[in-house]
Amino acid sequence: MVSYFHKTPWDTEFYNRFLRDRLPQKLFDMHLHISDPALVGERIETDDWAAQCCNSMPIEDYLEYAKSFYPDQTMELNALPPVSSYLDHGACNDYLARLLKEKKISHALMVVRPDWSAEYVDQQLEKNGFAGFKPYPDLVSGKKGSDIGLFEFMPHHQLEILNRRKLMMTLHLPRAGRLPDPQNIRELLELRERYPDIKIVIAHFGRSYAIDTIDRGIAALGDRLNDYHWDMAAVLNPAVLDRMFAKVNLDHVYYGTDLPVFLWHGRRRWDVDNYHNLSREDFPWNTHEESAEKESQYTYFLYEQMKNILDVLDALGAGKPLAEKLFYKNAEALMTELKKEGAK
């Protein structure tokens, strides 16, 4: 476990006051990265704040973290491999395949490099029981937010395999413009038209952490918004959550944490078109813009996310029944459907 992970009395109080009686008893994390530290190491990429946080999380560490985060809940997860460009991705997939075989996890996606053949990825899906793909733009560009086409890092010969098998992929959108980028919109629509049987889960609400981004993304997709599925990983902004919950098919929304990135205590503040992380722990990106006294009142970043989700649901008059869908039932339904397809 990372040295800076620790549970404070304030974390316990925050959980008891704001979360314990509002959370469903069963939770399902659809977006977190499980990895073998021997494969990942502790590389730090100074131009990417997330890479400066924890990058490696073996299943044993995750189980210990989960005891702190979720003391009264049972957890299910859909494990993703790490996606940094310098890794041996075949070995990372093998680690998850072993965890599936040993029943230490019940669901996982495989990372896909664009140069892998259709035959190879089809074999990996068949042999290991992966629920689908986790492609990533950095595997081509080496840089987050690069101006790179979706079909450059998720090529057609691999998409055809996934479509035939009627499986899923968790898609991290490229380009600095995020969800509303015009080329991203065009490619998302082409992806949906050409591959109707893939369950397309767009990660981080399309990397829409600020209200301007989500508003323009919703407007750009229009009535096609509900052709896709969405995960909430790393989304804390109540305005963004409110906007999406009002617009999207709530059967297609999933809870996600993006662990191990968010093992720290902190919160976010937002501009109209950007976000700023605030953390108690020391990272190269952390400027400690608030006082030590204010930082002492930071709780787990994940607790801030959970509270914001629950608060928005309460404001909508939805409360716990809808929380049960977003935190568990939707994911369970999707993964059950995919397992049935895989058994055919």
Side-chain angles (χ1 to χ4, degrees):
M1 297 174 65
V2 295
S3 60
Y4 57 80
F5 182 81
H6 59 285
K7 190 169 191 175
T8 70
W10 171 236
D11 297 327
T12 299
E13 182 178 344
F14 189 98
Y15 170 81
N16 288 335
R17 185 188 301 181
F18 299 113
L19 302 177
R20 183 181 60 188
D21 296 332
R22 303 167 72 196
L23 284 172
Q25 197 277 323
K26 293 182 178 180
L27 302 177
F28 201 131
D29 190 342
M30 283 287 281
H31 187 139
L32 78 171
H33 301 273
I34 302 292
S35 58
D36 181 348
L39 300 171
V40 178
E42 296 186 3
R43 179 184 175 109
I44 292 179
E45 300 173 15
T46 56
D47 63 343
D48 179 356
W49 72 262
Q52 296 170 8
C53 302
C54 180
N55 283 288
S56 175
M57 186 172 67
I59 188 63
E60 294 80 9
D61 284 5
Y62 168 75
L63 294 175
E64 291 301 313
Y65 297 139
K67 289 178 185 177
S68 290
F69 287 135
Y70 317 111
D72 300 300
Q73 292 77 33
T74 58
M75 285 299 302
E76 194 164 352
L77 55 90
N78 177 40
L80 313 182
V83 291
S84 298
S85 59
Y86 62 89
L87 297 175
D88 180 342
H89 295 103
C92 291
N93 288 336
D94 289 343
Y95 177 70
L96 291 186
R98 178 167 63 81
L99 296 182
L100 286 169
K101 184 177 181 180
E102 295 173 352
K103 300 189 183 303
K104 292 182 178 178
I105 58 175
S106 53
H107 312 281
L109 305 185
M110 61 177 285
V111 68
V112 280
R113 296 191 62 88
D115 56 332
W116 285 350
S117 69
E119 293 76 15
Y120 176 76
V121 297
D122 197 29
Q123 178 192 56
Q124 292 299 302
L125 290 171
E126 179 72 27
K127 179 176 71 172
N128 296 313
F130 292 121
F133 291 165
K134 178 65 187 89
Y136 204 65
D138 293 23
L139 301 188
V140 174
S141 66
K143 185 178 180 181
K144 187 177 294 184
S146 291
D147 187 14
I148 182 174
L150 189 155
F151 300 109
E152 292 181 69
F153 67 92
M154 188 68 265
H156 292 290
H157 69 272
Q158 294 177 0
L159 289 166
E160 289 165 1
I161 298 296
L162 205 60
N163 191 67
R164 175 172 58 80
R165 289 185 172 273
K166 299 182 179 180
L167 294 176
M168 70 172 285
M169 73 171 167
T170 294
L171 179 62
H172 186 105
L173 292 179
R175 302 187 170 95
R178 305 170 188 261
L179 177 61
D181 181 277
Q183 189 61 26
N184 279 343
I185 296 295
R186 284 192 289 271
E187 290 172 346
L188 280 172
L189 294 176
E190 180 182 351
L191 177 66
R192 181 72 291 159
E193 292 297 325
R194 293 184 63 166
Y195 306 104
D197 291 325
I198 297 175
K199 299 294 190 299
I200 303 167
V201 180
I202 301 178
H204 315 294
F205 281 171
R207 299 172 54 230
S208 299
Y209 309 117
I211 191 63
D212 179 68
T213 309
I214 199 65
D215 278 346
R216 290 187 294 113
I218 289 171
L221 278 175
D223 60 6
R224 305 298 300 276
L225 186 71
N226 288 317
D227 289 353
Y228 308 90
H229 298 240
W230 307 84
D231 85 38
M232 299 183 283
V235 178
L236 274 76
N237 190 329
V240 171
L241 294 165
D242 180 71
R243 199 75 93 237
M244 278 294 277
F245 292 167
K247 294 289 186 180
V248 76
N249 179 354
L250 291 174
D251 291 338
H252 288 181
V253 178
Y254 310 100
Y255 173 62
T257 62
D258 211 5
L259 290 177
V261 174
F262 297 108
L263 291 172
W264 37 272
H265 294 79
R267 56 176 67 128
R268 274 186 178 158
R269 61 176 176 82
W270 300 275
D271 301 327
V272 171
D273 60 355
N274 205 356
Y275 68 92
H276 305 273
N277 288 325
L278 307 174
S279 173
R280 180 191 308 165
E281 287 75 17
D282 290 319
F283 297 104
W285 52 264
N286 190 3
T287 61
H288 294 286
E289 66 177 70
E290 295 196 317
S291 67
E293 181 180 359
K294 287 187 176 180
E295 287 186 354
S296 71
Q297 291 302 301
Y298 291 172
T299 187
Y300 289 136
F301 187 91
L302 295 192
Y303 279 4
E304 290 282 352
Q305 180 195 31
M306 286 179 162
K307 181 180 182 298
N308 288 356
I309 293 169
L310 294 166
D311 287 349
V312 172
L313 294 180
D314 284 350
L316 292 173
K320 202 160 187 177
L322 187 51
E324 289 175 346
K325 288 172 62 68
L326 301 189
F327 280 99
Y328 181 78
K329 289 182 177 180
N330 289 348
E332 180 64 20
L334 175 62
M335 303 313 284
T336 298
E337 180 182 353
L338 295 176
K339 281 199 169 183
K340 287 180 179 178
E341 291 295 342
K344 290 181 180 179

